[in-house]
Amino acid sequence: GAGVSQSPRYKVAKRGQDVALRCDPISGHVSLFWYQQALGQGPEFLTYFQNEAQLDKSGLPSDRFFAERPEGSVSTLKIQRTQQEDSAVYLCASSLERLANQETQYFGPGTRLLVL
Amino acid sequence: SQQGEEDPQALSIQEGENATMNCSYKTSINNLQWYRQNSGRGLVHLILIRSNEREKHSGRLRVTLDTSKKSSSLLITASRAADTASYFCATVRYGGSNYKLTFGKGTLLTVNP
């Protein structure tokens, strides 16, 4: 069956440009997560949605980062005025239930963002 | 911030040998999970062990958890070249925020044919 998909897979942006990264979770999954993975590091939590509600955005690095999931399915992570330190792989994950503490999170392939 | 630390950072073995990776973490957890990541398949969930479990098996994988030492180990037996990947442990904290995964920095495993 279809897994989590993300687009674009690769994005090159000039410093100062705005970018939008898309995530299509597994159909019917309630929970959706965004993670940021810098080169040589493990993924770090950015934000969490339960259906359309953004319940936790504590991991967003700055107010230039904004995420939404307006209809409780597809999600978009937007980065305004990109900086070089934003270069990373952005991973989206979804899980079936509300509480992920007993649930597997299924990850997409990621979007590799390079800011020049 | 990273919760866990994997050890070693890199490991190179021959096909057929066993590989052991360790993970230490800092806070009380609900469960600990191991993931594999390679360029071909992205981040893939391998196994989950709950805080009240001490050992778990899945195929060629064996995971142990010692909550008193806040550590876990992942053993891959009879390794194959296809096991070459980065391996991450990830924890789910006990109590609040018990939905997000906190990852370590990973162990890069290379299995030579």
Side-chain angles (χ1 to χ4, degrees), chain B:
Chain B
S1 60
Q2 310 277 193
Q3 152 82 310
E5 291 282 340
E6 284 91 342
D7 168 51
Q9 290 187 341
L11 179 61
S12 182
I13 60 174
Q14 295 299 121
E15 210 166 23
E17 294 180 341
N18 296 341
T20 299
M21 289 160 271
N22 302 296
C23 167
S24 60
Y25 57 91
K26 299 173 185 174
T27 64
S28 295
I29 62 170
N30 185 296
N31 66 64
L32 184 144
Q33 305 178 30
W34 284 91
Y35 283 79
R36 179 181 65 215
Q37 185 177 44
N38 58 34
S39 58
R41 291 195 60 195
L43 200 63
V44 175
H45 179 266
L46 296 177
I47 195 166
L48 179 155
I49 185 165
R50 294 182 173 82
S51 60
N52 61 352
E53 298 177 313
R54 291 298 168 257
E55 186 170 315
K56 203 161 184 180
H57 297 254
S58 177
R60 294 183 296 113
L61 306 180
R62 181 172 79 96
V63 170
T64 63
L65 179 64
D66 186 336
T67 52
S68 67
K69 295 181 179 178
K70 292 187 169 57
S71 67
S72 173
S73 68
L74 171 68
L75 169 67
I76 304 174
T77 60
S79 63
R80 306 166 181 167
D83 295 329
T84 295
S86 291
Y87 291 81
F88 295 91
C89 68
T91 55
V92 177
R93 294 177 71 162
Y94 181 80
S97 302
N98 59 350
Y99 43 78
K100 63 183 177 183
L101 294 169
T102 304
F103 287 84
K105 294 182 179 180
T107 292
L108 176 60
L109 173 65
T110 302
V111 181
N112 301 299

Side-chain angles (χ1 to χ4, degrees), chain A residues 42-58:
Chain A
E44 293 205 8
F45 172 83
L46 293 178
T47 187
Y48 163 56
F49 290 86
Q50 179 187 316
N51 295 308
E52 69 278 3
Q54 188 176 23
L55 299 187
D56 187 342
K57 53 181 181 179
S58 63

